[in-house]
Amino acid sequence: MNRDQYAALPKFIKARTEEYLKLAKTLSDDWYGMDREDEVHLLTVQLAAAMMNMDSAEVIASQIAEFSKQLNTR
């Protein structure tokens, strides 16, 4: 990660979080409808958090795999 990418990271995190929230809102509305509004809001946040956790786990796993490749080539 270069300095420009690092400096822009909060912008990326905010944009990605908004995308996760939009997707989670769509899913929760499709699954449960608008009649359970309070429960849908909680579910939306939980779904978005789960999506972010999955995304970060994939990034970590790919970095571990890359590090393992580097160790194996030495």
Side-chain angles (χ1 to χ4, degrees):
M1 180 180 301
N2 64 35
R3 288 180 188 236
D4 292 334
Q5 290 170 323
Y6 186 78
L9 192 59
K11 295 175 191 173
F12 289 135
I13 291 172
K14 181 180 178 186
R16 291 187 73 132
T17 301
E18 289 175 7
E19 289 303 314
Y20 284 126
L21 285 169
K22 287 177 189 174
L23 179 58
K25 175 81 169 121
T26 300
L27 286 172
S28 58
D29 284 346
D30 288 348
W31 289 346
Y32 297 106
M34 295 299 289
D35 56 342
R36 297 177 155 169
E37 197 165 319
D38 292 338
E39 295 170 4
V40 170
H41 292 304
L42 179 59
L43 179 61
T44 298
V45 172
Q46 290 173 336
L47 282 171
M51 289 178 206
M52 286 185 266
N53 286 334
M54 283 180 34
D55 200 29
S56 66
E58 289 175 3
V59 170
I60 292 167
S62 70
Q63 291 300 312
I64 290 171
E66 184 63 33
F67 183 67
S68 295
K69 286 180 191 175
Q70 291 174 7
L71 287 177
N72 291 333
T73 59
R74 291 182 182 192

